[in-house]
């Protein structure tokens, strides 16, 4: 089972350019999340979506936007990248059955903004 | 709001020795508690979780954790570690009513030495 697929795996981006990180899941989970991982800070929530058609802001939403047109896809867009957005980005989904909050993660997208 | 504090950023330990990774949390509402493990260049995967009931929970790879409500702690333990346990470990909390926005600690890097 694929689970969550993220693309690209790695990307170098010039400051000021835009970039979309793709996330697709095949588990039909309603809730999806974007986190960024930085050394010493753990994972911080950027945006989330509880179901298709709805999104919400997490702890560090500035400079990022998301959309949720359907259940499977949850892209993250950086409209004008800055060096402080250099990070590893993880997409995750939450299993609906049992409703216990367990998250399933993709392999991550490493973004470097120069 | 919730917060998670992992008290050790790095824990070096010899193979076959016991280990404890410490986690304290704060929350104004009831939460579910999780430990996730991240192996190098991979996403996070669930190690174990506490939802309710018995305060001692067992997870994969011989790990266990004990929920202590009075001390708001959820420390992770393993009686005998292996080289393959070398990884980053994250403690996380999720409110058990609505939203399910998971908050992570900063992580503890476990380094098992031969």
């Amino acid at each position: 089972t694929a689970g969550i697929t993220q693309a690209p795996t790695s990307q170098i981006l010039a400051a000021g350019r835009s970039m979309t990180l793709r996330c697709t899941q095949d588990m039909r989970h309603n809730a999806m999340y974007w986190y960024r991982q930085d050394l010493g800070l753990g994972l911080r929530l950027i945006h989330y979506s509880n179901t298709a058609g709805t999104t919400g802001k997490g702890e560090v939403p500035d400079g990022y936007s998301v959309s949720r047109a359907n259940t499977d896809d949850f892209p993250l867009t950086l409209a004008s990248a800055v060096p402080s957005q250099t990070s590893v980005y993880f997409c995750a989904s939450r299993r609906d059955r049992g409703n216990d909050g367990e998250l399933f993660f993709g392999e991550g997208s490493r973004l470097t903004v120069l | 709001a919730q917060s998670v504090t992992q008290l050790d950023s790095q824990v070096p330990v010899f193979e076959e020795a016991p280990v404890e990774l410490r986690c304290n949390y704060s929350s104004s509402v009831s939460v579910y508690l999780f430990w996730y493990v991240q192996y190098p260049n991979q996403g996070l995967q669930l190690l174990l979780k506490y939802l309710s009931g018995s305060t001692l929970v067992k997870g994969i790879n011989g790990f266990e954790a004990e929920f202590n409500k009075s001390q708001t702690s959820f420390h992770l333990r393993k009686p005998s570690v292996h080289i393959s346990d070398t990884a980053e470990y994250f403690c996380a909390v999720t409110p058990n009513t609505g939203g399910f926005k998971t908050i992570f600690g900063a992580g503890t890097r476990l380094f098992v030495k031969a």
Side-chain angles (χ1 to χ4, degrees), chain B residues 6 8-11 21-22 87-90 106-110:
Chain B
Q6 292 185 240
D8 306 290
S9 60
Q10 296 186 71
V11 175
L21 307 184
R22 297 178 294 168
E88 184 117 23
Y89 292 80
F90 292 94
T108 297
R109 181 165 296 278
L110 176 64

Side-chain angles (χ1 to χ4, degrees), chain A residues 58-99:
Chain A
E59 303 169 81
V60 288
D62 294 343
Y64 306 95
S65 64
V66 292
S67 62
R68 188 85 184 278
N70 57 62
T71 296
D72 297 343
D73 301 300
F74 190 43
L76 177 73
T77 297
L78 290 70
S80 179
V82 295
S84 61
Q85 292 178 309
T86 293
S87 187
V88 181
Y89 292 86
F90 286 98
C91 181
S93 69
R94 176 173 59 82
R95 183 176 60 186
D96 299 325
R97 183 169 54 90
N99 221 19

Side-chain angles (χ1 to χ4, degrees), chain A residues 6-11 19-22 108-111:
Chain A
Q6 292 186 234
T9 302
S10 180
Q11 182 75 44
M19 175 76 191
T20 294
L21 303 181
R22 301 184 297 278
S109 296
R110 182 176 296 275
L111 180 65

Side-chain angles (χ1 to χ4, degrees), chain A residues 4-57:
Chain A
I4 292 186
T5 302
Q6 292 186 234
T9 302
S10 180
Q11 182 75 44
I12 298 174
L13 187 66
R17 302 297 294 267
S18 65
M19 175 76 191
T20 294
L21 303 181
R22 301 184 297 278
C23 175
T24 299
Q25 55 122 345
D26 63 2
M27 297 175 284
R28 306 300 292 173
H29 290 170
N30 279 317
M32 297 186 73
Y33 308 84
W34 274 105
Y35 288 88
R36 58 177 290 173
Q37 181 181 19
D38 302 289
L39 191 65
L41 298 176
L43 279 79
R44 292 179 292 169
L45 182 63
I46 304 171
H47 284 288
Y48 66 96
S49 170
N50 286 329
T51 190
T54 69
T55 62
K57 295 181 179 180

Side-chain angles (χ1 to χ4, degrees), chain B residues 22-89:
Chain B
R22 297 178 294 168
C23 173
N24 288 105
Y25 71 94
S26 67
S27 177
S28 57
V29 300
S30 295
V31 295
Y32 297 139
L33 297 153
F34 303 83
W35 276 97
Y36 288 87
V37 58
Q38 183 183 34
Y39 298 105
N41 299 312
Q42 294 185 25
L44 282 72
Q45 58 184 274
L46 183 70
L47 201 55
L48 51 78
K49 60 187 174 186
Y50 172 79
L51 306 180
S52 64
S54 173
T55 57
L56 182 64
V57 293
K58 295 187 183 298
I60 61 172
N61 301 337
F63 283 92
E64 62 182 33
E66 184 154 20
F67 169 57
N68 187 316
K69 187 174 182 178
S70 63
Q71 297 185 6
T72 60
S73 67
F74 191 53
H75 301 332
L76 180 70
R77 303 186 184 100
K78 186 170 182 178
S80 176
V81 295
H82 303 290
I83 296 288
S84 59
D85 292 323
T86 294
E88 184 117 23
Y89 292 80

